[in-house]
Amino acid sequence: MSAPGVDNTDRVSTLYRKFGGVIYSRARRLLKDDALAEDATQEVFVRVHRHIESAPDDAAALAWIYRISTNYCLNMLRDRARGAQPTGPDEMPEV
C-alpha cells in the first residue's frame, strides 16, 4: 500500500485535470464573476479532496463534483444576498 493520501491526491489531481474547466464554467455561469468563479473552483476541489473516499467512480464523478459546485455557488449567492450591506448614502438607514 502507498503512503496515506498519495493515491487520493493523485485521484483529485486527475479529476481536476479532467473536470476543472467544466466546474469553473459552471461557477462562472452562476456567480457571474471570474475571480469568484476561480475561488469557488478551488474550494470545490478542496472539498472533493476532503471527501474523496466517498467519491463515485470516474463515470459518475463529474455529476458528483458538479453537484458540489452548484451547491457551493448557490450558498455563496445566498450568503451574499443575506449579508448585503448599504453601500451608498441613499441606502443608509435614518439615525
Side-chain angles (χ1 to χ4, degrees):
M1 178 154 220
S2 61
V6 172
D7 291 334
N8 291 342
T9 300
D10 288 345
R11 184 163 182 219
V12 172
S13 294
T14 299
L15 291 171
Y16 181 80
R17 280 191 303 276
K18 280 183 168 178
F19 306 127
V22 173
I23 298 306
Y24 171 79
S25 294
R26 176 64 174 162
R28 176 69 183 88
R29 212 169 19 258
L30 289 170
L31 300 172
K32 297 176 178 35
D33 182 282
D34 291 336
L36 288 177
E38 288 175 15
D39 291 345
T41 302
Q42 180 177 357
E43 181 59 30
V44 165
F45 280 95
V46 166
R47 290 172 185 216
V48 166
H49 187 268
R50 201 175 300 144
H51 300 284
I52 194 69
E53 296 299 328
S54 62
D57 63 8
D58 287 342
L62 177 57
W64 182 70
I65 298 168
Y66 202 83
R67 176 56 35 203
I68 294 169
S69 174
T70 299
N71 289 340
Y72 182 79
C73 291
L74 292 176
N75 286 341
M76 281 182 68
L77 291 170
R78 185 195 65 226
D79 293 346
R80 206 165 46 176
R82 282 185 184 167
Q85 298 293 321
T87 58
D90 295 335
E91 298 176 321
M92 297 298 289
E94 293 292 324
V95 181

